[in-house]
Amino acid sequence: MNYTLIILAFIILGALGVVFGIVLTIAEKKFAVEADPRVAQIRACLGGANCGACGYAGCDAFAVAVVEGEAKPSDCPPAGAKGAEAIAAILGSEYREPSERVVARVLCNGEQGVVKDRYEYDGYQSCAVAASLAGGPKACRFSCIGLGDCAKACVFDAITMKDKLAQIDENKCTACGMCVEKCPRNVISLLPVKQTVYVACRNTDSGREARAACMMACIACGRCEKTCPSGAVKVVNGVAIIDDSKCTRCGACAKVCPCKCIEDLFAEDHK
């Protein structure tokens, strides 16, 4: 065995490694692109959820987009007004608060005992899976399935499940939209926080079918439409819809609804 050749081979490989290392080091320094320090500063001001609500692939991408002027400081819902102000300060610009804040709301009152069950479900605890099995366990095909896909998706702990119905804490909600995306029934919508009167039902079946499935389903009786003094309520395709631009928040529609499917968040003030 020729040990001389083996030693020579190791020496040559070692020399090549050193040469390649030197070349790579020189290339790295020569072609390095200096990162804008503001990117890291802005990244620290964000919600850190990587939720994609801003329209970019995570917080890092959003921070770069802000520095490059492609995104606004207020485009990160989880960061909120405080984060947007901090980002604007880093950029040396003036922060202007968005015209209105939005929050996620559940457009359903179908909790356990209110909506009827089609069958007893004891399978994998996922709304998406349950919805694919014979239309879901609840009799109303528009109702919240209640197995918590939205709560699992919410990284801000704004959603809890009670009596198989999603409950959203508006003080914790950042309007990131993850719950909206995860709901297989499209039960959750982002609404202006000022919209305190809204129809918590999307059932477009006939009144008889809707009531047979849920005690708090809209039956398209039209009482809310006739009562509304500002013409903000219309029954369209079998379900009441409120035009928020016309709504005066008087709560008259909620008072006359026989099924109590219209939410009036300030009902106590209207007594």
Side-chain angles (χ1 to χ4, degrees):
M1 191 171 191
N2 195 334
Y3 290 101
T4 303
L5 291 177
I6 295 175
I7 294 172
L8 182 61
F10 275 112
I11 293 173
I12 292 172
L13 288 173
L16 287 174
V18 172
V19 171
F20 285 137
I22 294 172
V23 171
L24 290 173
T25 301
I26 294 173
E28 182 183 8
K29 291 182 179 180
K30 184 176 180 62
F31 299 106
V33 178
E34 291 189 10
D36 192 320
R38 295 178 299 175
V39 172
Q41 294 172 355
I42 291 173
R43 177 67 176 80
C45 298
L46 305 180
N50 283 316
C51 58
C54 57
Y56 293 89
C59 296
D60 291 326
F62 174 72
V64 173
V66 171
V67 170
E68 294 178 350
E70 297 177 0
K72 297 180 294 185
S74 59
D75 286 345
C76 175
K82 186 176 180 180
E85 289 177 5
I87 294 172
I90 293 170
L91 297 174
S93 59
E94 183 181 353
Y95 169 66
R96 294 183 179 180
E97 191 171 352
S99 57
E100 61 181 4
R101 175 178 169 241
V102 297
V103 293
R105 286 188 177 142
V106 181
L107 305 185
C108 177
N109 281 317
E111 62 183 28
Q112 191 170 23
V114 172
V115 65
K116 295 182 180 179
D117 291 329
R118 182 182 286 114
Y119 59 86
E120 185 177 348
Y121 179 78
D122 60 358
Y124 182 68
Q125 296 299 292
S126 165
C127 299
V129 173
S132 67
L133 301 176
K138 291 184 177 180
C140 176
R141 60 192 180 97
F142 300 92
S143 68
C144 169
I145 295 176
L147 296 179
D149 285 10
C150 54
K152 296 169 189 173
C154 182
V155 297
F156 304 102
D157 295 323
I159 305 178
T160 55
M161 305 306 298
K162 182 180 179 181
D163 296 327
K164 293 187 177 180
L165 181 68
Q167 308 284 335
I168 299 178
D169 184 341
E170 294 188 6
N171 293 320
K172 293 182 179 180
C173 178
T174 63
C176 69
M178 291 297 290
C179 56
V180 177
E181 182 181 336
K182 286 294 182 180
C183 180
R185 288 283 178 80
N186 299 316
V187 169
I188 304 176
S189 290
L190 295 179
L191 300 179
V193 70
K194 67 180 180 63
Q195 187 174 343
T196 57
V197 179
Y198 59 94
V199 181
C201 181
R202 298 170 47 259
N203 195 322
T204 57
D205 289 338
S206 68
R208 183 176 180 179
E209 291 176 311
R211 193 58 184 269
C214 178
M215 293 186 290
M216 296 184 71
C218 176
I219 57 175
C221 64
R223 294 185 187 181
C224 52
E225 182 175 347
K226 297 173 184 176
T227 303
C228 180
S230 58
V233 188
K234 298 291 181 184
V235 175
V236 181
N237 296 327
V239 66
I241 296 175
I242 297 177
D243 183 346
D244 188 58
S245 65
K246 296 180 180 179
C247 181
T248 61
R249 321 282 191 266
C250 68
C253 56
K255 291 179 181 178
V256 299
C257 178
C259 300
K260 306 300 179 186
C261 68
I262 300 180
E263 290 286 346
D264 178 6
L265 302 184
F266 294 104
E268 291 295 322
D269 298 338
H270 297 149
K271 288 185 178 180

